[in-house]
Amino acid sequence: MPPVVLALRRLPAPRLTGLGAGLFAAAVMLVIGFLDRLILDGSPLVFGLLFLPVSALTALWVRTADLVTAPISVPIAFAVGVIPIAGGTGGLGGQAMAVVTALAVHAGWLYGGTLVAGLITSVRKVRDMGRRQQIGGGAGAGAVGSGAGRTAPGAGEKAGGRPAAPGRRPVA
């Protein structure tokens, strides 16, 4: 196996609920935003590049039952994380305008991270459906040959003892 795959398999595999995955992504992006503002003076390139792995980890760590929440929560996490690097002045209105402007200007990163989360969750869902089909298909295949599909005596008859369809008799 390639070393990248081996390194990815060594990562922890927690299973977060939908809410937990959203909180994880929002908290990590807020910390990244503050660190980006502190160290790099709010570099949107670094913020966007770090958003992509956070999106991927969120999609990988969410439970299978909550897969649909990952592509929804990562854009919210991006919006939360962009607050420190937006750089608005002039009170709450100026800060809100700066956040909206930053979201519009950096929409490419936002769409990219959402696409990453969507693709990962789609692949996970397809693999889960295939796994379930293999489990369900294996049990059903053995039942066909064992006579489980035959009609029980009297099951094909209407009330009064007559056959349900002309020319069809139940298997005895």
Side-chain angles (χ1 to χ4, degrees):
M1 283 190 173
V4 174
V5 174
L6 292 174
L8 287 175
R9 287 188 179 208
R10 284 190 301 244
L11 284 175
R15 290 295 167 226
L16 301 171
T17 63
L19 178 62
L23 289 174
F24 162 76
V28 170
M29 289 311 298
L30 188 62
V31 168
I32 287 173
F34 278 122
L35 289 175
D36 187 19
R37 174 80 182 234
L38 181 68
I39 297 171
L40 301 171
D41 200 32
S43 169
L45 177 67
V46 172
F47 183 78
L49 283 174
L50 291 175
F51 175 63
L52 298 178
V54 170
S55 298
L57 286 176
T58 303
L60 287 171
W61 287 351
V62 71
R63 292 184 320 173
T64 306
D66 297 328
L67 281 175
V68 71
T69 61
I72 295 168
S73 62
V74 293
I76 296 169
F78 186 89
V80 168
V82 84
I83 292 171
I85 67 166
T89 59
L92 185 61
Q95 183 68 28
M97 186 65 75
V99 168
V100 170
T101 302
L103 288 173
V105 170
H106 308 301
W109 292 114
L110 180 62
Y111 292 148
T114 306
L115 181 66
V116 165
L119 288 174
I120 290 173
T121 55
S122 296
V123 168
R124 284 187 59 198
K125 184 65 174 177
V126 167
R127 288 181 64 200
D128 183 55
M129 288 172 27
R131 210 175 296 128
R132 287 183 188 210
Q133 188 175 11
Q134 284 179 349
I135 292 170
V144 172
S146 65
R150 291 194 209 158
T151 308
E157 297 179 0
K158 287 186 177 179
R162 295 179 307 195
R168 295 191 75 189
R169 302 250 178 223
V171 177

